[in-house]
Amino acid sequence: MSDDFERAVLLTFNFSGAVEPKLKELATSYVNDIKQSPECWRLCAERFSPATYPEVKFWCLQTLHEIIRTSYPKMPAEARAGIKSAMLTWLQRDCNTTTDPLPAFLRNKIAQTLVSILQFEYPQDESKLSMHVKDSMREHSISDVATAWYQLVEAYYQKNSELAATVLQTMQRYISWIDIGLAANEKGAATECIIEIVSKRMEAVPKLMLVKSMSIVPRCATWASALFAEGSSSFDNMDEDELELVYKFARLLATLSLEVMESLKRVENSVISLTAAGFSVEEETMQEVSGATEVANSLMSTLFPMVMGAFKCKMDKVSLPLMPFMHSYVARLKSLCKRNQGMSEEGAAHLRSILTGLAVCSRYPDDSVSYPGAAGSATELAAAKEEQSDVEEKRRDLFTLFKNIAKLAFQETLAFVSTQLQTTAQANLNAAFQDLEMAVLLLYELGEGAPEEALKPDSGALGQLAIALMVASPAAAEHRLVALIVMETFVRYGRVLQQHPQIVPNAVMTFLDGRGMGHPSEDVSTRACYLFCRLARTLRNSLRPFLGIILQALQPHLISIASTPLIDNPSASASMGGLARAESGPSSKQSAASSALVDDRLYVFEAVGLLIGQEEVAAEEQASALNVLLQPLVQQIEANLAMSQQGGGGGAGSPGLILQAMEAMVRVSKGFKTDLVTIKRPQLGAMFVRCLEASLQVPRVYPNHKLLRSRFISSVHRMVECLTTTLLPYLPAALEVLVNTQVDAPDLGEVMSLVNQLILRFKEALMDLLQGLLPVVISRLHSILDASWDWSGSMAAPPVLPSNTASASAPANSGSTASLAVTLEDAREKGEVQRSYYLMLHVDRTQWAICGTPQSSPGAIRRSTDRAHSGGGACTTMLLSVFERLVNDWCGSDGVELAPGFQSYAMEHLGGEACVASVLRAGNGLDLRDPATLSLLGEVAMALKLVYSKCGDAFPTHLINSVLPKLGLPQEVQQLLVYHLRESEAKDLKECLRQILQQAAQQQGGK
């Protein structure tokens, strides 16, 4: 049987594929039958020792473990004793031997099986068992174990380093709960163990004494002198294991230095806080503190050169772990500076050393993959972006440290930055782009929050440093990374440049030539346009004398930008979704805002507008420059529209070119003041009117093009601000084309937003236009918000589809999920239109009566109010405000109606349905604890009082006969409400409404 048993076990462990599946299935069934036997434990105990195959031994242990876990408490005492005896024998004989020990996986299995026995023999929860074992080891054996660690490491750290490392890893697991003195043996200084030892939480003075007694700092100094010596290239020939050891040493150094520093702070602060509180400090305590401080300072004086050597190493895994110490050390220097009324020479020297290391650590790597101009391939571009992202990520913390140092010692920091710039300037052609980029970046960062005196035009040293950079033209500045930071720095020091007009042309040309807008890298050329716009805002007056030179240099860039829109660029289309989605028809649910493309190159048109839009520019020169700028844009729009019309609506013309031209014209207009283009120099306004005239045809030719429609509306918005009343003759055509080409809810929302701006801007001047427009807009509104739309406001903000639910159900219900998402988006868009409509009525109400006269289709207004009776929130409050204006203006006084039939309408629909029935109707969802609800009740009360004042007793009669009985209110409640309506003030009527709602809520809660 035993032979069959072993063969069966071996077959079950054979995963080579050589065994026939049927045979393996029979073997598995055979051994499983053995497991079912009550005497199976005995077979395992007997077969373990004589078995020559480890698979058989493992099967025996695994089966015993399963038996113990499932049946041990129920087994006879004889069986339990037999199992324990066998386990102890194997532990002493087969595990604690040097001649022929069991393999590690079998020893681990024996340990696991023993633990399962202990759990039954000494029943308790896991934490209590763990504490029991640890307490027993502390009392009896842990000192012997620690001695064994030391002896093993001492004996094998040279002969068998792997064994020594295994011992140290084991020791690391025990450090957190054993006596620290057992682990901190001066000869057991292995990196990971020492990190654990030094990091152990303990009082400051004992920790300092522990670090001193370990003698690890002198040992670290020996290692550091070999690893981090000046100019050392010892890392170049290291393999991965050796480098990993270097990284561990760096972590050890970082931990040592930080723990010593923090301990020193705690020791000093303990005395300082006691003294500050007025307590006396005992002499013995002072001696202890003095001794600990002396030890800490001695350790720090030894550690600091090692730390700085590692910090200046060009390996992030070595230098970056030291950052917490750097922050802590600079904070200590700041504290000492306040305490001693100044910075010591040693402290200043240490700060200079930290700055040097910071510059090295922040630098791009020597083997940088960053390309100087345009990327040669997508792979090169991706690699450069990844590297740039990594560098920017690590610089965040590094430059936080830099700014802290600058606040503490500005002059030392300025001197360091000056030295860096001078060094790279002297190198010129031989300067690496990494060095120049870092030097200029330091100047840029130093300018943030710099003291005013440092930026003064004559005496400010920082300003002089910036001017020197603007004058110089280092060869490495053509690299894209250097070009970017140089332009950013020029903009940051724009105020300094303003005081030195003689160098303005040289500085400005940096943005306009091959170092800026003409740079082969798109990142640089695009950023140059934006930064030049910022510079133009700052130096607007200073640049005026050079306007001709600047415009001449800009001309090729303006032509190129206007004629190369992003959406017509294949690479941009691939990344931004292309033009196809913008061309989608009425069924598309993608709004113009979500698909709009932002081309930062267009900032250059805004900059040109700022420069030529100054009143100080001669009128002829200004008109000529503006004409040269706008005329090609107008022609570009007209030519492409003509081609589109000839091609049957979007055939040959380029929507991208039209978009680009329209946006460019809007950007240019931002530089011109209204009185300049309308009063002082109206010929300029005529040019912008010409731009609008050309744009009027865009929505007609492309009625379904979201981006073009949105861009046209934004241009009208801008021209309203720029041209004011000059624009009035052109508004009918603009609004007509927008209303007649309106496609869906977002389109109508944009129109109403424009109407709101026009009402606020032109007031009565727009009245005649809106008398005919408003009914059309309302008619469009009701064609979109049809009879199925809930005007209560509940659909104005539909719930968002949960992402986890959507993702979980996507495989099974992808079609229904997509349909639900579209439905929710449609509801959100319609809700936005509803709010825009109420806002339009509210704006109209605050300026003058709706369209001025009752003849402007009050029926259209009624259609909206008829359907907007329930709900709460901002929409309802705004609508009530509109109701009040309508009642005031159209009900008249003394029973005279300005709009025939409106008095009855006000009683039935505004007062009865909207203000009473919709508020008191059960299930309205109003929360009486919400301040917004109480505010709404106040608005309702005032509206009811207003209707009563206009309609007289006919209104409460209507409520008693037609409204209140349908609500199921008791007779006494109805009489009370009518009484407050007639006799009380609005605040009492509001309280009455609140009490009615509260009683209704209590009755519903009791059901």
Side-chain angles (χ1 to χ4, degrees), residues 715-877:
S715 67
V716 176
H717 277 291
R718 176 59 206 153
M719 291 306 167
V720 168
E721 299 300 322
C722 180
L723 301 175
T724 61
T725 55
T726 307
L727 194 67
L728 281 174
Y730 303 93
L731 287 179
L735 292 173
E736 178 187 0
V737 71
L738 288 174
V739 171
N740 291 335
T741 59
Q742 172 261 320
V743 175
D744 54 16
D747 291 343
L748 183 59
E750 290 178 337
V751 172
M752 288 190 289
S753 175
L754 178 60
V755 170
N756 289 339
Q757 184 199 20
L758 296 176
I759 293 173
L760 292 171
R761 169 63 67 177
F762 298 115
K763 299 182 172 62
E764 288 81 359
L766 202 68
M767 186 180 298
D768 292 339
L769 173 61
L770 287 192
Q771 282 182 351
L773 176 69
L774 189 58
V776 178
V777 171
I778 295 175
S779 177
R780 293 277 185 181
L781 173 79
H782 289 289
S783 67
I784 292 175
L785 305 183
D786 54 22
S788 62
W789 177 252
D790 179 6
W791 282 72
S792 68
S794 61
M795 295 184 68
V800 179
L801 186 66
S803 58
N804 56 351
T805 304
S807 60
S809 61
N813 304 311
S814 57
S816 60
T817 300
S819 176
L820 178 58
V822 170
T823 303
L824 293 177
E825 177 64 15
D826 182 72
R828 186 196 64 79
E829 290 176 352
K830 290 182 177 179
E832 290 293 334
V833 171
Q834 181 184 343
R835 279 192 288 268
S836 298
Y837 172 62
Y838 287 167
L839 179 61
M840 185 181 70
L841 294 181
H842 182 67
V843 170
D844 177 60
R845 172 255 178 191
T846 57
Q847 299 302 318
W848 23 266
I850 303 287
C851 297
T853 67
Q855 286 74 26
S856 56
S857 188
I861 305 295
R862 293 180 181 180
R863 290 174 59 193
S864 305
T865 56
D866 284 345
R867 299 162 62 189
H869 294 147
S870 58
C875 283
T876 304
T877 302

Side-chain angles (χ1 to χ4, degrees), residues 126 216 219 289 299 305 310 371 416 485-486 731-732 831 862 926:
E126 292 289 336
I216 187 58
R219 185 73 59 86
V289 169
L299 292 171
Y371 51 91
F416 172 77
I485 191 57
V486 165
L731 287 179
R862 293 180 181 180
L926 294 175

Side-chain angles (χ1 to χ4, degrees), residues 663-681:
E663 180 62 20
M665 292 187 297
V666 169
R667 298 291 183 105
V668 172
S669 70
K670 293 181 179 180
F672 291 81
K673 294 182 179 179
T674 300
D675 60 344
L676 178 66
V677 299
T678 57
I679 300 174
K680 297 178 181 178
R681 298 175 184 176

Side-chain angles (χ1 to χ4, degrees), residues 315-330:
M315 297 178 67
D316 290 347
K317 288 187 177 181
V318 173
S319 56
L320 294 183
L322 296 164
M323 285 302 296
F325 167 75
M326 296 299 172
H327 284 291
S328 180
Y329 189 74
V330 170

Side-chain angles (χ1 to χ4, degrees), residues 251-461:
R251 292 197 298 272
L252 170 60
L253 196 57
T255 304
L256 264 176
S257 55
L258 182 62
E259 291 295 332
V260 170
M261 174 58 61
E262 293 300 318
S263 296
L264 175 59
K265 283 184 181 180
R266 282 186 285 161
V267 169
E268 291 180 338
N269 291 340
S270 63
V271 175
I272 293 173
S273 59
L274 288 173
T275 305
F279 294 102
S280 60
V281 182
E282 296 180 358
E283 182 177 354
E284 182 179 353
T285 302
M286 287 298 299
Q287 289 178 353
E288 183 183 32
V289 169
S290 176
T293 304
E294 183 178 350
V295 169
N297 286 327
S298 175
L299 292 171
M300 282 307 308
S301 62
T302 306
L303 281 169
F304 193 81
M306 292 186 273
V307 170
M308 292 315 306
F311 195 50
K312 296 173 186 177
C313 167
K314 295 181 180 181
M315 297 178 67
D316 290 347
K317 288 187 177 181
V318 173
S319 56
L320 294 183
L322 296 164
M323 285 302 296
F325 167 75
M326 296 299 172
H327 284 291
S328 180
Y329 189 74
V330 170
R332 171 172 165 75
L333 288 180
K334 181 179 180 180
S335 176
L336 290 175
C337 190
K338 288 182 179 179
R339 196 182 309 166
N340 301 329
Q341 303 298 315
M343 179 72 66
S344 65
E345 287 294 328
E346 182 185 36
H350 285 179
L351 284 179
R352 288 192 291 271
S353 183
I354 293 174
L355 287 169
T356 303
L358 189 148
V360 173
C361 194
S362 303
R363 187 176 177 273
Y364 271 84
D366 292 333
D367 57 348
S368 172
V369 297
S370 178
Y371 51 91
S377 65
T379 303
E380 185 180 17
L381 177 64
K385 283 187 175 181
E386 183 178 1
E387 180 186 74
Q388 186 173 350
S389 176
D390 292 341
V391 172
E392 290 173 354
E393 179 66 27
K394 74 174 181 179
R395 280 180 173 179
R396 289 190 182 96
D397 194 26
L398 288 164
F399 279 101
T400 298
L401 177 64
F402 176 78
K403 291 169 187 175
N404 290 338
I405 295 175
K407 291 177 183 177
L408 177 60
F410 183 79
Q411 293 303 323
E412 284 79 3
T413 308
L414 178 61
F416 172 77
V417 174
S418 177
T419 301
Q420 295 294 308
L421 285 170
Q422 290 173 8
T423 302
T424 54
Q426 290 170 0
N428 201 0
L429 293 175
N430 296 323
F433 89 85
Q434 294 94 332
D435 296 325
L436 182 55
E437 191 266 350
M438 174 49 58
V440 179
L441 180 60
L442 291 172
L443 177 62
Y444 172 82
E445 295 290 346
L446 190 58
E448 182 179 353
E452 287 294 327
E453 55 270 17
L455 296 171
K456 289 182 178 179
D458 298 324
S459 58

